[in-house]
Amino acid sequence: MDEREKRDLEISSQKSRQQGMDQRPGSSAHRPGNTNAGGYEDKIRAAGVVRPASQRLEGQRSGRQYAGAQRRPVGTGSRPNGRRRRSSRARIRRRNRIVFLILMILILIGAVGAFALWKKYSPSKEKADLEKYYGLTSENDLAVIVNDQVIKNEETGTPAGKLIDGEAYVEYSVVRKQINERFYWDPNESIMLYTLPNGNVSVTVGSNEYTEVSEKKSEDYTILKTEGRTAYIALPFIQKYTNMEYSVYQNPDRAAITCSWGKMQKAVLKRNTEVRYQGGVKSPILTEAKKGDKVTVLKDEDDWKKVATADGFIGYVKTGSLRKSKEETTSHKFVEPEYSNISLDQTINMAWHNVDNEFANSYVLEMIAGTKGLTTIAPTWFSIADTNGNLNSIASSDYVNYAHQSNLEVWAVLRDFHGGINSYDETYEVLRYTSKRETLINQTIAAALQSGVDGINLDFELISLECGEHYIQFVRELSVKCRQNGLVFSIDNYVPQPYNEHYNLKEQGIVADYVFLMAYDEHIEGSYEAGSVASYGYVEQAIKDALTMVPEEKLVVAVPFYTRLWLETPKTEEELAAEEGTEAANYPYKVTSTAMGMDEAQQTLETNGIQAEWEDKSKQNYAQWEADGGVYKIWLEDMTSLEEKLKLIKSNNLAGVAEWRLGWENSGVWDLILQYVN
């Protein structure tokens, strides 16, 4: 190579270095390990110049040194590329920290959510407070479960039982309402009674001895205990006279009683199961039922079933925990006492004879002379003289003899009105004492036997709700005495209504020979509006309702031989103002009425020149006319309306018909009645 070529190569090399220095610091040309920085090596090679290995190695070392210099702080001669590397790694670390923080927050949120879900849907292990559940507050309290229902005192809400000296007792009111209504407690004379077909079982407080009719007996426990005026009866004694079974359990103390039998839904538990207070896994646990236990299914609530366990817990289990759910018929071996009855071998056709005084007895032959097909006459002879239970009687043996000569039986009527007493309070005062009931019954039976009557017809119409249990006990006791003395026993009743349920038609239908339904007085003198005495629908519904409680062969329907003539007059402004806020204010007319017999009613129409027309709804002839400043209205009881009622009696196969009252009838009705009842 000549001198010129060397010089050119040197100049080229200098330019190359100069260009490298002019490039951006940290560019790829100056990066460590770059074998072609600025293209210098390529130019060398292109010129055919080969650098010694020592020079190449030195350049590589120089590159490493430079790379190392990048890590030095600014101002110490380091290159800018190191600062960028450090900044990048810092950003990565910050980003990683943020991602980690977000992940931790998400994990925390997920954990909180999972805990909340677990808290919400996982089954609670909380145990119910069983003392509170059963209402147990004192040491000898006993929870009472009757037919899968926890029973408590209606007034106080306290448990209905007591556990005394290891014996279980149940409060009298619960026994009567929930278990066996024939138990009767007289707090006035501290005696408990149970009426059997042939007499009373009687127990005194604090004794283990009792009398069954006339036989003295005893038990190895105290039968009857009291706290104040509240009586408690020992469970084993209740069971002696009741179709029931029971078991007593501890922790807490409770008695499970079953006295209702028949079809029930039963199921078996698939596995050990928690019975909860309410449906839902968060509800407290009442008890742990075992696999294979049989429960009574009380209510279906989709995923949950309300059940009763055999040991007295009523709660909820999951539907999936049950199997073999089916209806079963339950029963218990027990022989119910049988009340024998006197049943006549003929359809009854009885008329009440309203006798106000002894002199009226002499008209008996006149009263029955025009009758046909009559089987029985019922004179109103007996009434209660005073609140001590004494009897007023105007019975006549001559009357009975005349009736018997006409082939009529005589059933003397015993009433709680039109005598010495005439109020709800006075009737209650007599019937709530055992000794007063006994006085009245004994005197009634004695008067009946003395006069020679064939039966007693009980017509008590002043029975308050409070008096109900005493009245039905009187009915039981009188029925026993009538049977013992061969007297037919019948009872008069209003048509069934919610307000007179305490007359207890069902029990009457068991202990009485006949139950009479007074199917009249649909509208009475004190009614706010005019209306029929006994419309067809009224009588039809009365029969239907009574037959749910009384056997058809014992039910006698009484029809009216009378009607009411109504006068409607518009109320004055003063009258409406005086009645404001009362039920009477809903009626714009003032009404008055007069009761009259069948012939008198027809004569009234003829006198006023009025022709009645058939009203299909009431199935009666109806008439109205204007006079005396108002409107007269009348729904006639006549042959046509009476026949519709007789058809109902016959179609329902009832025991017969009765009529209120003898002397008000049209003579033609007896032939009509004969067509349907005899």
Side-chain angles (χ1 to χ4, degrees):
M1 179 182 299
D2 57 12
E3 291 294 325
R4 187 169 52 88
E5 289 175 337
K6 289 181 181 180
R7 190 172 53 252
D8 290 339
L9 179 60
E10 187 177 42
I11 292 171
S12 176
S13 177
Q14 290 175 355
K15 288 181 178 180
S16 247
R17 287 194 298 270
Q18 184 64 44
Q19 289 175 354
M21 294 176 64
D22 292 340
Q23 288 179 6
R24 179 174 53 86
S27 65
S28 60
H30 294 89
R31 290 173 186 168
N34 190 327
T35 58
N36 194 19
Y40 178 71
E41 292 293 339
D42 291 340
K43 292 177 181 178
I44 296 266
R45 293 190 190 96
V49 178
V50 178
R51 294 178 64 187
S54 59
Q55 292 182 5
R56 292 197 300 271
L57 183 60
E58 184 179 356
Q60 292 172 359
R61 289 195 193 102
S62 177
R64 287 195 295 270
Q65 291 171 0
Y66 180 72
Q70 288 179 330
R71 297 183 179 91
R72 298 172 188 171
V74 177
T76 60
S78 65
R79 298 183 179 180
N81 195 34
R83 185 176 58 197
R84 286 185 171 274
R85 282 174 172 262
R86 188 170 60 254
S87 175
S88 175
R89 283 193 293 271
R91 283 196 302 272
I92 291 172
R93 285 195 296 270
R94 284 197 300 271
R95 182 183 66 193
N96 288 343
R97 282 196 297 270
I98 292 171
V99 170
F100 177 76
L101 182 60
I102 292 172
L103 287 175
M104 291 304 295
I105 291 173
L106 291 175
I107 291 171
L108 181 60
I109 291 173
V112 171
F115 178 77
L117 289 173
W118 177 84
K119 186 79 173 174
K120 181 176 181 180
Y121 295 107
S122 65
S124 169
K125 296 298 181 182
E126 178 190 358
K127 302 289 186 180
D129 184 340
L130 296 181
E131 302 287 322
K132 184 177 180 181
Y133 171 71
Y134 287 114
L136 305 176
T137 56
S138 63
E139 185 178 355
N140 65 340
D141 278 352
L142 178 71
V144 177
I145 303 95
V146 181
N147 299 326
D148 304 324
Q149 182 180 0
V150 178
I151 306 297
K152 298 179 182 179
N153 182 287
E154 292 181 353
E155 296 180 358
T156 64
T158 55
K162 296 290 182 183
L163 194 63
I164 306 172
D165 298 329
E167 195 61 69
Y169 294 81
V170 178
E171 184 184 332
Y172 159 70
S173 64
V174 172
V175 175
R176 179 177 172 271
K177 293 178 182 179
Q178 305 287 340
I179 302 174
N180 187 336
E181 67 177 356
R182 291 203 182 117
F183 281 95
Y184 173 81
W185 162 243
D186 178 353
N188 302 298
E189 299 180 359
S190 298
I191 187 171
M192 185 186 73
L193 305 173
Y194 186 86
T195 304
L196 297 170
N198 56 343
N200 279 334
V201 176
S202 59
V203 186
T204 56
V205 176
S207 175
N208 66 335
E209 297 182 342
Y210 63 102
T211 301
E212 186 175 277
V213 187
S214 58
E215 183 180 358
K216 296 288 186 180
K217 296 185 176 182
S218 65
E219 301 293 342
D220 58 1
Y221 52 85
T222 301
I223 299 169
L224 182 69
K225 289 181 175 289
T226 58
E227 287 189 1
R229 289 175 65 87
T230 302
Y232 292 88
I233 311 171
L235 260 178
F237 192 77
I238 299 170
Q239 190 179 42
K240 286 176 65 68
Y241 301 99
T242 307
N243 186 14
M244 61 169 276
E245 60 183 22
Y246 75 93
S247 296
V248 178
Y249 302 92
Q250 295 179 327
N251 300 319
D253 294 332
R254 62 197 187 279
I257 302 166
T258 300
C259 55
S260 178
W261 309 99
K263 293 182 178 179
M264 297 181 184
Q265 194 70 23
K266 298 285 187 177
V268 176
L269 292 173
K270 293 180 182 179
R271 52 186 173 272
N272 292 348
T273 303
E274 295 163 341
V275 180
R276 297 184 178 273
Y277 177 65
Q278 293 179 330
V281 295
K282 294 304 179 183
S283 182
I285 300 168
L286 294 175
T287 187
E288 300 274 352
K290 297 184 180 301
K291 176 182 179 181
D293 284 355
K294 183 176 285 189
V295 296
T296 302
V297 180
L298 304 176
K299 189 177 182 181
D300 186 351
E301 296 187 2
D302 297 327
D303 293 338
W304 293 83
K305 293 277 196 303
K306 185 178 182 180
V307 301
T309 65
D311 57 349
F313 290 98
I314 294 91
Y316 291 81
V317 299
K318 287 185 175 180
T319 299
S321 66
L322 299 175
R323 63 183 177 88
K324 295 182 180 180
S325 181
K326 62 179 181 179
E327 189 175 70
E328 296 182 6
T329 300
T330 61
S331 63
H332 179 254
K333 291 183 178 180
F334 181 80
V335 179
E336 290 282 1
E338 184 177 351
Y339 288 79
S340 60
N341 300 121
I342 299 173
S343 179
L344 304 182
D345 58 357
Q346 59 184 343
T347 305
I348 292 174
N349 181 6
M350 188 193 86
W352 281 285
H353 181 197
N354 192 40
V355 181
D356 292 330
N357 52 65
E358 292 186 34
F359 180 74
N361 287 324
S362 61
Y363 289 97
V364 59
L365 291 178
E366 181 180 339
M367 296 299 294
I368 64 178
T371 64
K372 293 181 183 179
L374 204 63
T375 63
T376 311
I377 188 168
T380 56
W381 280 346
F382 300 153
S383 61
I384 306 175
D386 53 42
T387 55
N388 290 320
N390 292 305
L391 182 75
N392 273 336
S393 171
I394 54 174
S396 167
S397 55
D398 289 338
Y399 183 108
V400 175
N401 291 333
Y402 291 138
H404 285 171
Q405 290 171 14
S406 299
N407 295 319
L408 296 178
E409 286 200 348
V410 180
W411 295 357
V413 180
L414 171 60
R415 303 194 294 191
D416 64 342
F417 56 96
H418 289 182
I421 68 171
N422 196 35
S423 71
Y424 287 92
D425 289 342
E426 289 172 316
T427 299
Y428 173 64
E429 184 63 23
V430 172
L431 298 186
R432 70 192 185 103
Y433 285 86
T434 297
S435 60
K436 294 180 181 181
R437 292 194 310 273
E438 186 176 4
T439 296
L440 179 59
I441 290 171
N442 288 340
Q443 291 186 17
T444 299
I445 296 299
L449 296 177
Q450 183 178 6
S451 60
V453 301
D454 306 285
I456 300 296
N457 177 247
L458 182 64
D459 186 15
F460 276 21
E461 301 183 18
L462 300 176
I463 303 299
S464 63
L465 179 62
E466 185 181 24
C467 188
E469 64 180 291
H470 309 293
Y471 167 72
I472 202 63
Q473 179 61 20
F474 175 72
V475 166
R476 295 187 191 106
E477 294 168 350
L478 182 55
S479 76
V480 171
K481 290 294 186 180
C482 284
R483 273 191 301 276
Q484 291 175 343
N485 290 278
L487 298 169
V488 179
F489 180 48
S490 60
I491 309 173
D492 303 336
N493 290 275
Y494 301 115
V495 301
Q497 298 288 350
Y499 59 78
N500 59 37
E501 288 179 350
H502 56 282
Y503 276 76
N504 203 338
L505 276 180
K506 183 178 179 181
E507 186 73 351
Q508 289 186 33
I510 294 173
V511 303
D513 298 315
Y514 294 100
V515 175
F516 282 70
L517 199 62
M518 298 183 293
Y520 42 79
D521 281 346
E522 180 179 0
H523 293 83
I524 60 175
E525 185 176 358
S527 295
Y528 293 124
E529 60 182 351
S532 171
V533 167
S535 67
Y536 180 86
Y538 180 77
V539 177
E540 182 181 38
Q541 188 63 48
I543 293 173
K544 181 179 178 181
D545 292 341
L547 284 175
T548 64
M549 297 172 277
V550 180
E552 61 184 34
E553 65 272 13
K554 287 190 174 187
L555 187 63
V556 177
V557 171
V559 297
F561 277 169
Y562 71 98
T563 189
R564 286 188 176 274
L565 176 63
W566 300 87
L567 175 61
E568 285 185 348
T569 56
K571 292 179 181 177
T572 65
E573 292 296 331
E574 292 77 10
E575 288 172 332
L576 288 172
E579 294 173 349
E580 187 175 358
T582 68
E583 185 180 354
N586 298 321
Y587 302 89
Y589 295 98
K590 180 172 64 177
V591 295
T592 57
S593 67
T594 302
M596 53 182 62
M598 299 172 77
D599 288 340
E600 184 183 359
Q602 187 60 46
Q603 183 62 47
T604 300
L605 293 182
E606 293 175 2
T607 300
N608 288 276
I610 304 298
Q611 180 66 45
E613 295 182 357
W614 182 254
E615 186 181 81
D616 193 58
K617 182 179 180 181
S618 64
K619 296 193 183 301
Q620 292 172 297
N621 283 305
Y622 169 76
Q624 70 175 53
W625 65 95
E626 294 183 6
D628 302 324
V631 177
Y632 283 98
K633 295 182 178 181
I634 190 167
W635 286 261
L636 292 173
E637 288 297 346
D638 54 20
M639 300 282 285
T640 51
S641 66
L642 182 58
E643 184 170 17
E644 294 295 334
K645 297 175 179 62
L646 292 170
K647 288 178 181 177
L648 281 173
I649 293 171
K650 185 172 183 179
S651 64
N652 284 283
N653 300 313
L654 303 185
V657 65
E659 304 91 19
W660 177 263
R661 62 184 173 92
L662 196 60
W664 276 357
E665 76 279 7
N666 177 278
S667 59
V669 301
W670 300 112
D671 290 321
L672 176 65
I673 294 173
L674 273 172
Q675 296 177 34
Y676 289 92
V677 299
N678 275 318

